[in-house]
Amino acid sequence: MSARLLELEDVHTQLTLREGVVRAVDGVSFHVDAGETLGIVGESGSGKSMTALSIMRLLPRSGRIIGGSIRFKGRELRDLAEAEMEALRGTDIAMIFQDPMTSLNPVYRTGWQVGEPLRIHRHVKTAASVAAAVGLFKKVGIPEPEKRAMQYPHMFSGGMRQRAMIAMGLSTGPSLLIADEPTTALDVTIQAQILDLLRHLNREFGTATILITHNLGVVAGMCDRVIVMYAGRIVEEGRTEDVFANPEHPYTWSLLRSIPRLDAEVRGRLQPIEGSPPDMARLPEGCKFRSRCSFAIDRCATEEPELRQVRSQLTRCWVTQGGVSLESQSDLD
Amino acid sequence: MTTYVLRRLLLMLPVAFLVTVGVFLLIHLTPGDPALILLGEDRSPQAIAQIHQQLGLDKPLYVQYVIWLGRIAHGDLGRSITTHQPVGTAIAERLPATVELGLAALFWSLIVAIPLGTIAAVRRGSIADQIATGISVGGVSIPNFFIGIVLIFVLSVTWRLFPFGGYVAFTKDPFENLRHIVLPAIALGTAGTAINMRFTRSSMIEVLNNDYIRTAMAKGASWRRVVFIHALKNALIPVVTIVGLQIGGIIEGAVVTETVFTWPGVGRLAVESIFNRDYTVVQGIVLLAAFSYMVANLLVDLVYGWLDPRISYS
């Protein structure tokens, strides 16, 4: 197990909000191996970003990790002093964020910002760090890198800013890159370019990547494995092709059915998931997806299922754990 | 940049014109006849009429205005009607002391406000924050003459640390100059300190919630680096606006402070001239105050450009 790059075990993170205490991450366990790409999928509020921020220990003021273990290269991150954590952030674990429009500091030149991790961690002089940033700009496909490095963020388009963010993340050659919805704020054509770039860099540098998204299409094209989160829990985990071919959790199954597809047989209307996500401050008993689930049985209302192996993946569902196949069940409807 | 400054200076002309109209009317509509002050006991109607004629006060108001405007366009602010000294000279003699006091007050307000406001923002809700809030509420609500009197009583009369008033030119004795300036600078600067601190605090709190702060932390920047390099430059943008207004307001504040500390600046000259109905001098000082506001505003806009690259002057 020590070969694991990152390993989370039963991590609990809670947010103390005005509405009450929210268990944003509730017993999450997973791992990432070196060079691997893991997708974390879920709708807003499912706890995927909070999981990432827990790993980075960059939770908002209201957030606190209250239990579990987060090991990176065998070191328990929860035990590290803040200074040790700082030494890790931006060097061995890098993170890029959803909104490139607001993620760069408006009052400093982009080259200065992209080169900053080198100044902080490698004690490189400003001029040399900006020169390194120019090289990184070239690598992530920013045209006229010398000129661009001297410009301010407001002179960059959204796609270019996200490229600059990626360049910043990769400046120190991290072993793990956490990309939190890196393409959500971008146009579709730019999204594809950014994903291509991430895939390419993942191969070139062997950087393990956690890709957080609400877009299953992004996961299909990029990730070796996928984790599906709902209400702060992992509800399904498996190899991407297995999960896409045979979802073993009704939530994943509904998510896949709600995506428009060009190659599928004509089934008529898209099927949205009925209802809305539960109120995280007042979670129901039993399975948290029950109220929106068309497969629910009596047991789902009273007991919450554990995450268990069903065929090739892990799932948190009484129905599939009982041996029922979702596909055959739905055909009966 | 140069074009921008030139354009701004040109745009100042209509404002300046309105300012002269305002100043002129304000002074001439104020009750009190300078002739009565000049004459003292001998107030015969003939003597008053003669003075009016000498000073041009017998002419219609708009004619007086045009004559006055023509003179100030040539840099001639007229002569004091009590001392007969040229107004320009009278103000120029007093101005360095006021500028020195104003800069010292501004320096005091910033050197206290920015660190305190930053600490209050970073540790909001803490005891340090509450103390800072208390100081700022006090600083704004206590009038500066009262702060001045308390400072004199405690630090110079009781503890004898500082002189209780007066002025020594820097060129004459730099140390004594600084010793004399400490108390009036604190008295004049405290209200500004309080306001600047509140601005720094709220602006800093807002900035610290930005995504780019999280980016900086994700890079492994230390908390100190995040606050002082990534946040502070952004947080100071609104503070500059308010400081600009304070620079413009230095002369007003100096009126009271200079009187309390017998500081020989423009503020005290204004008070003396008002008591003497020396309207030419008062006019000159009010005009100077108005122009210092205009110049301060221009300076603020230029500093903005330096702080915030999104503002362009082209």
Side-chain angles (χ1 to χ4, degrees):
Chain A
M1 291 300 262
S2 60
R4 301 276 192 234
L5 180 66
L6 175 75
E7 193 164 26
L8 274 72
E9 229 179 278
D10 199 25
V11 173
H12 292 261
T13 298
Q14 67 180 29
L15 301 174
T16 311
L17 305 174
R18 225 169 297 156
E19 304 84 55
V21 173
V22 167
R23 294 199 300 219
V25 179
D26 204 357
V28 164
S29 309
F30 65 86
H31 68 269
V32 181
D33 290 331
E36 188 186 29
T37 304
L38 173 74
I40 301 183
V41 189
E43 46 203 343
S44 339
S46 62
K48 48 195 200 310
S49 291
M50 283 301 150
T51 306
L53 293 174
S54 301
I55 298 169
M56 295 293 283
R57 283 192 20 198
L58 286 178
L59 290 165
R61 283 167 69 96
S62 57
R64 212 158 62 86
I65 306 171
I66 53 162
S69 140
I70 303 171
R71 281 188 301 278
F72 179 73
K73 294 187 168 171
R75 287 164 90 194
E76 174 58 57
L77 298 187
R78 289 191 61 202
D79 295 341
L80 295 187
E82 185 53 32
E84 293 174 295
M85 202 60 217
E86 280 165 11
L88 208 58
R89 280 186 213 124
T91 48
D92 222 6
I93 308 180
M95 183 161 179
I96 58 178
F97 299 97
Q98 175 172 354
D99 192 353
M101 304 312 273
T102 55
S103 292
L104 289 164
N105 195 325
V107 303
Y108 291 107
R109 295 178 200 277
T110 51
W112 185 92
Q113 295 189 55
V114 169
E116 194 179 15
L118 293 170
R119 290 198 298 283
I120 296 172
H121 300 291
R122 305 271 156 83
H123 308 290
V124 171
K125 292 263 179 293
T126 307
S129 75
V130 173
V134 171
L136 288 159
F137 274 15
K138 213 173 289 172
K139 210 157 246 166
V140 297
I142 295 178
E144 299 182 88
E146 286 88 1
K147 189 180 133 201
R148 288 300 200 158
M150 296 314 285
Q151 292 183 337
Y152 291 96
H154 70 275
M155 301 155 113
F156 277 48
S157 66
M160 284 301 150
R161 288 188 210 193
Q162 198 58 294
R163 282 174 196 268
M165 284 293 291
I166 293 171
M168 190 188 297
L170 293 172
S171 60
T172 51
S175 351
L176 177 64
L177 176 71
I178 303 176
D180 187 359
E181 305 251 12
T183 59
T184 306
L186 304 174
D187 292 343
V188 182
T189 44
I190 310 294
Q191 281 186 13
Q193 289 174 14
I194 296 292
L195 289 173
D196 268 346
L197 174 67
L198 282 174
R199 201 178 304 132
H200 169 75
L201 295 170
N202 171 261
R203 271 190 218 126
E204 189 182 336
F205 299 102
T207 310
T209 308
I210 297 180
L211 183 71
I212 296 171
T213 177
H214 61 259
N215 187 342
L216 282 168
V218 168
V219 171
M222 282 260 333
C223 302
D224 304 314
R225 283 189 303 123
V226 59
I227 282 173
V228 182
M229 285 189 75
Y230 191 81
R233 295 151 172 74
I234 294 178
V235 295
E236 180 156 5
E237 178 182 347
R239 295 180 52 75
T240 308
E241 59 263 37
D242 296 337
V243 172
F244 274 68
N246 279 308
E248 298 291 357
H249 193 280
Y251 178 56
T252 323
W253 185 84
S254 325
L255 276 182
L256 288 167
R257 295 240 301 190
S258 64
I259 304 176
R261 291 182 60 157
L262 293 176
D263 56 336
E265 70 267 41
V266 182
R267 267 195 187 166
R269 295 159 65 90
L270 281 176
Q271 305 202 0
I273 306 179
E274 299 293 330
S276 48
D279 178 356
M280 290 294 285
R282 274 177 290 278
L283 283 177
E285 286 278 299
C287 175
K288 310 306 171 220
F289 187 62
R290 191 186 62 88
S291 61
R292 303 169 74 184
C293 180
S294 48
F295 302 95
I297 54 177
D298 292 346
R299 194 178 185 186
C300 304
T302 49
E303 276 179 88
E304 182 165 20
E306 296 285 311
L307 195 61
R308 290 226 174 83
Q309 186 88 29
V310 174
R311 285 174 282 272
S312 56
Q313 57 255 49
L314 293 170
T315 179
R316 193 187 284 277
C317 175
W318 289 127
V319 178
T320 52
Q321 284 173 12
V324 177
S325 143
L326 295 181
E327 205 56 40
S328 63
Q329 183 79 2
S330 71
D331 290 343
L332 297 177
D333 295 345
Chain B
M1 183 75 172
T2 326
T3 345
Y4 174 79
V5 175
L6 284 175
R7 210 177 67 219
R8 280 294 304 266
L9 288 173
L10 268 176
L11 282 173
M12 271 188 187
L13 286 176
V15 181
F17 173 73
L18 288 177
V19 164
T20 58
V21 174
V23 168
F24 183 81
L25 288 179
L26 211 63
I27 303 296
H28 284 265
L29 298 179
T30 313
D33 188 342
L36 297 180
I37 305 271
L38 285 174
L39 289 170
E41 292 301 304
D42 175 28
R43 293 176 175 180
S44 63
Q46 295 88 340
I48 291 174
Q50 197 192 345
I51 297 271
H52 280 174
Q53 202 191 346
Q54 266 175 23
L55 298 175
L57 294 176
D58 54 342
K59 296 194 178 72
L61 208 55
Y62 68 90
V63 177
Q64 289 184 44
Y65 172 72
V66 172
I67 294 171
W68 176 67
L69 192 65
R71 284 203 195 123
I72 57 171
H74 292 95
D76 176 13
L77 292 170
R79 281 174 183 276
S80 155
I81 58 175
T82 46
T83 65
H84 305 293
Q85 193 187 17
V87 172
T89 318
I91 292 176
E93 273 174 8
R94 303 287 197 102
L95 196 58
T98 297
V99 169
E100 191 189 341
L101 176 61
L103 289 178
L106 194 68
F107 177 75
W108 158 254
S109 83
L110 292 177
I111 203 103
V112 175
I114 292 175
L116 226 59
T118 304
I119 292 169
V122 173
R123 307 199 179 286
R124 63 178 179 279
S126 70
I127 295 182
D129 183 17
Q130 283 163 21
I131 292 174
T133 305
I135 293 176
S136 81
V137 171
V140 179
S141 19
I142 305 171
N144 61 10
F145 73 86
F146 185 75
I147 294 175
I149 291 168
V150 171
L151 286 173
I152 291 176
F153 181 73
V154 177
L155 295 180
S156 63
V157 176
T158 314
W159 291 350
R160 298 182 182 280
L161 291 172
F162 297 101
F164 52 77
Y167 172 78
V168 177
F170 187 80
T171 44
K172 215 165 161 193
D173 185 344
F175 177 74
E176 275 305 309
N177 171 272
L178 291 180
R179 241 167 61 86
H180 279 81
I181 209 169
V182 171
L183 297 189
I186 294 176
L188 180 57
T190 297
T193 306
I195 294 166
N196 296 344
M197 201 195 80
R198 295 310 288 173
F199 261 81
T200 307
R201 180 184 181 274
S202 60
S203 158
M204 186 61 118
I205 286 176
E206 202 186 307
V207 167
L208 286 175
N209 280 325
N210 272 306
D211 287 351
Y212 55 80
I213 295 301
R214 197 179 49 185
T215 305
M217 297 193 67
K219 284 185 210 179
S222 64
W223 187 229
R224 201 176 303 151
R225 188 179 171 88
V226 168
V227 170
F228 290 104
I229 294 184
H230 287 271
L232 193 59
K233 200 174 166 195
N234 284 287
L236 286 183
I237 296 170
V239 178
V240 166
T241 317
I242 207 79
V243 169
L245 292 175
Q246 287 163 7
I247 294 177
I250 280 174
I251 293 180
E252 288 164 37
V255 168
V256 174
T257 313
E258 288 182 357
T259 306
V260 173
F261 287 93
T262 57
W263 189 266
V266 178
R268 239 179 91 210
L269 179 62
V271 175
E272 291 160 8
S273 310
I274 290 167
F275 285 143
N276 293 334
R277 293 281 178 274
D278 195 340
Y279 73 92
T280 47
V281 178
V282 178
Q283 254 170 1
I285 294 172
V286 177
L287 212 54
L288 174 74
F291 280 113
S292 55
Y293 261 109
M294 287 160 62
V295 172
N297 262 317
L298 177 62
L299 285 178
V300 164
D301 284 349
L302 295 179
V303 173
Y304 270 160
W306 171 72
L307 278 175
D308 188 346
R310 285 166 295 189
I311 294 170
S312 98
Y313 293 120
S314 48

